[in-house]
Amino acid sequence: MKKNVRNAIIAGNWKMNKTPSETTELINAMKPLVKDADCKVVLCVPFVDLDAALKASAGSNIEIGAQNCHFEKSGAFTGEVSPVMLKEMGIKYVIIGHSERRQYFGETDETVNKRLKNALEEGLKVILCVGETLTQREQGITAELVATQTKIALLGVSKEDAKNVIIAYEPVWAIGTGKTATSDQAEEVCAIIRKVIADIYDDNTAEGMTIQYGGSMNAKNADELLGKVNVDGGLIGGASLKAEDFSVIVKAASK
Ligand code: PEP
């Protein structure tokens, strides 16, 4: 990979899977398998598993993230969790704008922008998800759509703060479907996103930004996807629930 240019990050998104005791078990199984990784390894787990994940990963090279956070610091927002709370626990990363949040929980580009800014204010690193649906791809609007999502998400974010943003290009049609974007499709859109970042900020910021691909990345296709110049890692759903498969992806990113 391009480790000399950018930080490769392999992040697992466990979605709504694993109880606290299962979390401990899975992280204990992963630790020896990923200990020699030459990339960052992050696991984004359900809120109730964060404590168990922090404990199980202590002293290892696995960092822990959450899968969402609210856009206010505190208040009357039943069922929500603020980045202040995550920060105090020792959480380093948070996913914002995952397509499942956009699809099922009314997340919009505007709320993504608010959540992202609040998370950055607390010093969390944000994995910002963008990506088109199958209809949007067929309509030929992937580039505009992904550019718009990226621009709105980063409205009001300084160049300095943008260093704590990782972008995950996740075509919605490839998430959890077993349909992976080809490595050329992934490369094309990751390059478009990098150009958008250069337009918003500058070339240095764009060159330094980690841009991941996500969407049915697995032990078999990781090598090819991660071999692309603009693909700096992966956001992994299903395959991050299997220690062996996840470690193969981590190894592919460490080459
Ligand atoms: C995801 O949840 O971000 C994801 C990419 O899922 P999967 O790898 O299962 O497609």
Side-chain angles (χ1 to χ4, degrees):
M1 282 205 61
K2 296 72 53 182
K3 294 186 294 288
N4 51 338
V5 184
R6 291 183 280 274
N7 270 334
I9 304 178
I10 297 296
N13 173 19
W14 285 8
K15 314 193 189 205
M16 196 175 71
N17 291 295
K18 303 294 171 191
T19 65
S21 62
E22 290 168 345
T23 296
T24 305
E25 203 180 318
L26 182 52
I27 292 181
N28 282 340
M30 280 180 179
K31 277 193 292 193
L33 301 178
V34 303
K35 70 176 178 13
D36 298 322
D38 197 5
C39 65
K40 285 193 179 292
V41 182
V42 180
L43 294 175
C44 298
V45 305
F47 289 129
V48 294
D49 296 335
L50 288 171
D51 187 50
L54 285 168
K55 285 182 179 136
S57 63
S60 79
N61 59 335
I62 297 176
E63 296 182 278
I64 303 302
Q67 298 172 8
N68 187 27
C69 69
H70 197 252
F71 41 77
E72 294 291 345
K73 296 190 189 319
S74 63
F77 300 102
T78 302
E80 291 288 327
V81 170
S82 100
V84 183
M85 298 166 181
L86 298 174
K87 181 76 190 305
E88 189 178 308
M89 287 187 80
I91 299 305
K92 298 270 163 48
Y93 289 82
V94 61
I95 298 173
I96 307 259
H98 192 279
S99 63
E100 286 153 16
R101 303 278 335 154
R102 295 178 192 254
Q103 202 176 339
Y104 305 127
F105 302 102
E107 198 78 71
T108 64
D109 289 334
E110 285 70 27
T111 56
V112 166
N113 172 246
K114 286 164 78 175
R115 288 177 204 268
L116 178 139
K117 284 195 288 192
N118 199 18
L120 291 176
E121 268 171 36
E122 294 310 320
L124 298 178
K125 290 186 191 298
V126 171
I127 300 176
L128 162 68
C129 299
V130 297
E132 81 288 2
T133 62
L134 187 56
T135 309
Q136 290 161 338
R137 175 161 281 267
E138 286 168 354
Q139 289 167 339
I141 59 166
T142 299
E144 292 97 306
L145 193 277
V146 166
T148 302
Q149 287 177 330
T150 305
K151 284 181 193 165
I152 297 177
L154 293 173
L155 276 179
V157 174
S158 69
K159 190 162 85 172
E160 204 44 40
D161 281 349
K163 290 185 181 138
N164 286 322
V165 177
I166 296 123
I167 298 183
Y169 165 54
E170 296 212 307
V172 180
W173 49 271
I175 296 178
T177 58
K179 278 188 206 146
T180 318
T182 64
S183 55
D184 286 342
Q185 286 171 324
E187 168 65 16
E188 183 188 15
V189 183
C190 288
I192 288 168
I193 294 170
R194 202 174 301 288
K195 169 82 172 59
V196 171
I197 298 301
D199 291 345
I200 302 173
Y201 301 106
D202 53 35
D203 286 348
N204 273 352
T205 309
E207 276 308 307
M209 184 169 280
T210 297
I211 301 180
Q212 304 171 311
Y213 167 77
S216 299
M217 192 188 280
N218 59 40
K220 290 205 178 88
N221 59 27
D223 230 2
E224 192 182 335
L225 287 161
L226 294 169
K228 290 291 179 181
V229 173
N230 280 291
V231 180
D232 310 317
L235 183 56
I236 324 294
S240 72
L241 295 167
K242 296 177 198 139
E244 190 66 46
D245 288 14
F246 187 65
S247 74
V248 172
I249 300 172
V250 167
K251 282 185 190 115
S254 302
K255 283 181 186 163

